Each structure stands twice: as C-alpha cells, then as structure tokens.
Amino acid sequence: MKYRKRTASDFVFKEELGHGSYSTVYKAIDKHDLKRVYAIKVCSKAHIIREAKVKYVTIEKNTLNLLARENHPGIVKLYYTFHDADNLYFALDFAAGGELLSLLHKYRTFNEQLSRHFTIQLIDTVEYIHSKGVIHRDLKPENVLLDKEGRLMITDFGAATTVTKAELDGESRNDLNATNSTSSFVGTAEYVSPELLLYNKCTTSSDIWALGCMIYQFLEGCPPFRGSNELKTFEKIVELDYTWNPNKYATNVNGNSNKNINPMIIDTVRKVLVIDDNERITISDLKREPWFNGIDWNNKFDIWKGIFT
Ligand code: ADE
C-alpha cells in the first residue's frame, strides 16, 4: 500500500471543512487505516485553468513539500498529492481544532495568556518558514488552524513566494512583474503591508507586519486596519491609522481579567506595525521583547505546549 500512488478511492470523503477561491477542503478517512484522518484539498482542474491559477497550485505544492522536510509542528503537512480527470488532490494534516478565526469569533477576544500562547507559536513558525527562504504573503487567522490540543498550524501557501539567500540576508525584494502587482494582489486587504501598497515590494518583514495585525486582533477582536471598503482599508494602513481601545471593558465590573490591555503588548505591536519595513522589528528582536520574558525559544517542548497542558 505504501508504495502505490494514492487515488481518491483510497479515502472516504466526509464533511466539507472549508473552501477557498479555487478549492474545497474535505475531511477524509484512509480506507486502509481507519484511524488516519486527513483534510483533502480538492482543486477543480477546469476551474484552475479557467481562472489561471495553475501557478498558485504549483507554488503551494512545492512550498509545502519544501517546508514539510523538517517536520516543524507549526506547518500543515502534505502527505500525498494525486489527480484524476477532474481534480487535483492534496492530502493534508487534519486540524481537529479548526480555524483560529472561528475560535476568536467564539470568544470574541483572547485574553493575554492565550494571545501569548498563539503569538509564540506563530513567531516560531514564521521564523522557520523564513529560514527556508519562503514568504507566506497571506498570513491571517483563517490561514491558521488548530490541532486537537490547541497547537497552531499555518496553512494555505498558495500566495507564497521564495527568496534567494542574498534577499534573506537583508536585501529586499521588488516584485514588479504584472502577476505580483498591487492591482492583482493575492493577499487579504486587512493584513497587507504598507510596502506592498506603496512600492509593490514584498519581504519577509511583510509577514511580520501581518503577524502584528494578528496580535492586535487577538486582543481587540478585529484587525487594526479596517475600512468600509478595500481602498479605505489601504488608506488606513499607509497612514498607520489604528488605535487601541484599552478601556473598552472598563464598565464590566464582573472581574473580566481582559479589562486593560497590557502596555507591554501595545509596545510590542507598536514596534511591529512600522510603515518602513527596514525599521520594523525583526523576528530575532521580537523574540527578545519583554512580553516573552521567561520563554526559552530553544525549548521546542515549551513553545509547542497545547492550550490545556
Ligand atoms: N480547513 C481547511 N484546511 C483544514 C485542515 N487541514 N484541517 C481542518 N480544517 C481545515
């Protein structure tokens, strides 16, 4: 069984888990080993060709293969790819905890402790992704999944790009070709970096910007820059037009521990949400922020604890 190429008939397809612009993800069980559950991403060939998405699907497969090599806990693993006349299939890790966005909607906001737990795992994973020369380019809570223990896994590398060693070592990247231009940008408005909007430039630091937007969203419940339409959102981003509402829980007298946002977190986010990507905090400096005091970044066991352990 191990050596034969898989096909869709090797799996029992269950409920839909989600869908993107050119794919639908289903829960699926391996018929030959009923204990093995996967999330199978099904991409319609006709749709991919019609919408000119071949490039994105290829990038996603190559990037997942590259990142899967070291078994990093924060990356959704790709186990098999196969195709038939109609579809392409990606058999991925099933993330039993669903999307981080759904958990955030359920709780509305995360408290400081939960926000820190997710931020630490995000930092460790984004650092790993960048160390392999990959920029995700579409980091947001919908693309972060949770396993059954509440450990996070980054998914959806369809917008990713790779950088050369020289670029990784500090040179920036200017994506000036048409497919990467801002007018056809593939990211999500609320998390897009100012350098992409202003200079059509994409660097590893653009992922750090998105990370800063997510930290804010964990504590406030919505991303820092959100206008009534995409253009207004973009205007807010390039003007760094965001505010914290530190006292919005002040009327809650029932002992809500999330009453005031810790100034240490506000300070960390301030160093991330910097317009000039050259001035923005780096991952290594981010790890040294006081909010993470006491974390041993070399202790993977410590970083990759579940929520309940
Ligand atoms: N939704 C999208 N991808 C998923 C995955 N890998 N596991 C669970 N739910 C998902």
Side-chain angles (χ1 to χ4, degrees), residues 24 26 51 62 81 99 103 165 168 173-174 189 199 217 224 240 253 268 306:
T24 307
Y26 297 93
E51 306 275 319
N62 293 343
T81 53
E99 285 178 6
L103 190 74
K165 180 83 179 71
L168 255 193
R173 178 188 182 86
N174 284 291
Y199 310 114
Q217 187 171 0
L240 201 68
V253 290
T268 298

Side-chain angles (χ1 to χ4, degrees), residues 17-18 25 39 76 92-96 98-99 145 155:
L17 296 170
V25 183
V76 163
L92 301 157
D93 267 324
F94 170 65
E99 285 178 6
L145 304 173
T155 190

Side-chain angles (χ1 to χ4, degrees), residues 74 76 95 97-102 118 121-122 136 138-146 151-156 214 218:
V76 163
E99 285 178 6
L100 183 59
L101 186 69
S102 310
F118 289 131
Q121 295 186 352
L122 276 174
H136 186 287
D138 197 17
L139 288 175
K140 55 180 173 177
E142 291 98 308
N143 287 340
V144 179
L145 304 173
L146 299 171
R151 280 181 285 257
L152 64 80
M153 283 189 264
I154 293 181
T155 190
D156 205 340
M214 282 197 276
F218 293 163

Side-chain angles (χ1 to χ4, degrees), residues 114-128:
L114 200 53
S115 300
R116 189 171 178 267
H117 163 88
F118 289 131
T119 303
I120 287 165
Q121 295 186 352
L122 276 174
I123 290 174
D124 191 60
T125 310
V126 170
E127 183 177 47
Y128 170 70

